[in-house]
Amino acid sequence: MQQAYIKTPLGTALIEGDEYGISKISMLDGDVPVSDAVPEILYPAARELTEYFEGRRRNFTFTMNPHGTDFQKKVWQALLQIPFGSTTSYQELSIKLGDVKAIRAVASANGKNPLWIVVPCHRVIGSDGSLTGYAGGLWRKKWLLEHETPPVQQSLF
């Protein structure tokens, strides 16, 4: 397993993966030094994350290989279907997955998402529109949602 630490506007991100794909992207708190060089196998993910933060990328194309249960992977696949700049609720996600009563299990799988930003768990909000829990901190969730839906410039005339 190879690792790289890259700087983002939200702190340092850790990228982990191997020849089978990227298995983990997570945010680290504190002063973590960035990598001098990104391993070739991780480079596409690092480049695409940088493009995302620069506002030049809306979806990711590098090979992903997250580890989890079959149910978790099903939830993560559903998260990938949430369009850039949109949100959904845990309840809507549970209904989409075929079991409205699975809301807690869906929320738990969402919280165990190993591919920060790429599998957009930040796009899941409460049914009332509130920003609910986020492993990276609610301030990061708010930043990401604002990054994906910048305010529309109003015309003065």
Side-chain angles (χ1 to χ4, degrees), residues 34-51:
V34 297
S35 300
D36 293 329
V38 175
E40 183 178 338
I41 205 146
L42 305 179
Y43 181 76
R47 185 192 73 237
E48 290 186 15
L49 277 171
T50 298
E51 291 169 355

Side-chain angles (χ1 to χ4, degrees), residues 3-102:
Q3 296 183 332
Y5 298 86
I6 66 166
K7 192 55 109 182
T8 78
L10 299 175
T12 303
L14 167 62
I15 304 172
E16 293 182 328
D18 57 24
E19 66 272 13
Y20 300 108
I22 303 301
S23 57
K24 182 178 180 181
I25 299 174
S26 58
M27 281 306 298
L28 305 173
D29 289 318
D31 191 24
V32 180
V34 297
S35 300
D36 293 329
V38 175
E40 183 178 338
I41 205 146
L42 305 179
Y43 181 76
R47 185 192 73 237
E48 290 186 15
L49 277 171
T50 298
E51 291 169 355
Y52 168 85
F53 283 113
E54 291 173 346
R56 298 185 299 121
R57 176 169 293 278
R58 291 178 166 225
N59 24 15
F60 298 89
T61 61
F62 61 84
T63 303
M64 299 174 212
N65 187 27
H67 302 288
T69 66
D70 288 342
F71 180 76
Q72 288 170 336
K73 289 178 181 180
K74 183 178 175 182
V75 171
W76 301 336
Q77 279 299 317
L79 293 173
L80 288 169
Q81 304 309 309
I82 305 169
F84 183 92
S86 299
T87 58
T88 193
S89 69
Y90 291 104
Q91 183 175 16
E92 290 168 342
L93 199 54
S94 297
I95 292 168
K96 182 177 181 178
L97 290 165
D99 186 356
V100 69
K101 294 179 182 177

Side-chain angles (χ1 to χ4, degrees), residues 79-138:
L79 293 173
L80 288 169
Q81 304 309 309
I82 305 169
F84 183 92
S86 299
T87 58
T88 193
S89 69
Y90 291 104
Q91 183 175 16
E92 290 168 342
L93 199 54
S94 297
I95 292 168
K96 182 177 181 178
L97 290 165
D99 186 356
V100 69
K101 294 179 182 177
I103 192 166
R104 290 180 191 261
V106 167
S108 176
N110 190 52
K112 291 181 173 79
N113 168 23
L115 293 172
W116 176 72
I117 293 181
V118 176
V119 175
C121 57
H122 61 278
R123 296 180 189 154
V124 182
I125 59 175
S127 295
D128 62 357
S130 64
L131 296 184
T132 55
Y134 186 64
L138 288 180

